[in-house]
């Protein structure tokens, strides 16, 4: 009897959930998580490239140790923040992650700008290869972040629209913040590089 009742009730429940947007919410939620995972993969790839880059320029940049230290410390800070798709609803943790990534981006920008003053470094094969990899990774980060922004937008739309917002409230789904969008200008601005050039001592 129970089995027969379940067979009769299940199609009705499935139809109700489908009609109220439950399946769409699930699909878009998974899409957000998938796009963030791809973004995170690229961030991790960048973090792996940083030590190799620092080692390759260390012998050349004898007067810019501060820049190398900033890059190393920023990379360490990024590595200290463990994050995954389940943390997308933790605003404080996501904000710290975004701040750490922005600091690493800024430090790398300064390192690249300073490297322009070392023609011998720019001609080094290892450095050129690492720069090519880093540039490709930055482009992939930008691409994946763009996809993540779109995925979050689509998800937020459906959990705010009627009647799917009722389903979202019932099952505990909330809008997500599109992290990084508000700081886009800060992250992408050109780095300011200043050199402390002292006049040679007079004999």
């Amino acid at each position: 009897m129970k089995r027969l009742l379940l067979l009769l009730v299940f199609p009705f429940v499935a139809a109700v959930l489908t009609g109220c947007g439950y399946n769409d919410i699930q699909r878009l939620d998974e899409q957000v998580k998938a796009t963030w995972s791809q973004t995170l993969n690229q961030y991790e790839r960048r973090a792996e490239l940083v030590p190799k880059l620092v080692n390759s320029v260390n012998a050349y940049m004898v007067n810019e140790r501060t820049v190398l230290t900033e890059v190393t410390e920023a990379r360490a800070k990024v590595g200290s923040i463990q994050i995954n798709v389940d943390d997308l609803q933790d605003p404080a943790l996501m904000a710290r992650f975004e701040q750490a990534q922005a600091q690493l981006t800024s430090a790398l920008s300064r390192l690249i700008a300073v490297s322009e003053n070392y023609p011998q470094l720019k001609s080094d094969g290892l450095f050129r290869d690492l720069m090519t990899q880093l540039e490709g990774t930055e482009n992939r980060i930008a691409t994946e972040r763009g996809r993540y922004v779109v995925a979050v937008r689509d998800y937020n739309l459906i959990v705010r629209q009627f009647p799917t917002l009722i389903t979202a409230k019932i099952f505990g789904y909330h809008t997500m913040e599109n992290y990084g969008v508000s700081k886009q200008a800060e992250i992408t601005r050109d780095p300011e590089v200043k050199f402390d050039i002292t006049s040679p001592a007079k004999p």
Side-chain angles (χ1 to χ4, degrees), residues 36 81 83-100 145 148 177 179-180 183:
W36 178 253
I81 303 175
I83 197 167
N84 56 51
V85 294
D86 296 324
D87 298 314
L88 292 174
Q89 298 285 0
D90 186 340
L93 181 58
M94 290 296 291
R96 290 200 302 273
F97 176 82
E98 285 294 331
Q99 183 181 25
R145 284 305 302 263
Y148 174 71
E177 184 175 343
Y179 296 96
K183 298 181 180 178

Side-chain angles (χ1 to χ4, degrees), residues 32 36 88-92 94-95 98 145 148-149 152-153 155-156 174-183:
V32 168
W36 178 253
L88 292 174
Q89 298 285 0
D90 186 340
M94 290 296 291
E98 285 294 331
R145 284 305 302 263
Y148 174 71
V149 167
V152 171
R153 180 202 65 191
Y155 168 84
N156 284 344
H174 309 285
T175 57
M176 295 183 186
E177 184 175 343
N178 241 325
Y179 296 96
V181 176
S182 61
K183 298 181 180 178

Side-chain angles (χ1 to χ4, degrees), residues 13-25 158-159 161-171:
V13 173
V16 170
L17 291 177
T18 301
C20 66
Y22 179 81
N23 289 342
D24 288 332
I25 293 174
I158 201 167
V159 299
Q161 289 176 339
F162 183 84
T164 51
L165 68 87
I166 298 174
T167 305
K169 287 184 181 297
I170 291 173
F171 289 95

Side-chain angles (χ1 to χ4, degrees), residues 137-156:
T137 300
E138 294 290 351
N139 289 337
R140 284 190 287 271
I141 287 174
T143 298
E144 297 302 339
R145 284 305 302 263
R147 291 173 179 166
Y148 174 71
V149 167
V150 172
V152 171
R153 180 202 65 191
D154 292 344
Y155 168 84
N156 284 344

Side-chain angles (χ1 to χ4, degrees), residues 41-70:
N41 286 339
Q42 299 307 322
Y43 277 133
E44 289 173 353
R45 174 181 165 79
R46 179 172 72 167
E48 291 171 0
L49 285 173
V50 168
K52 298 176 184 178
L53 184 63
V54 169
N55 287 336
S56 73
V57 303
N58 189 49
Y60 293 93
M61 293 187 177
V62 293
N63 297 319
E64 281 81 25
R65 296 299 178 196
T66 301
V67 177
L68 295 176
T69 301
E70 286 178 359

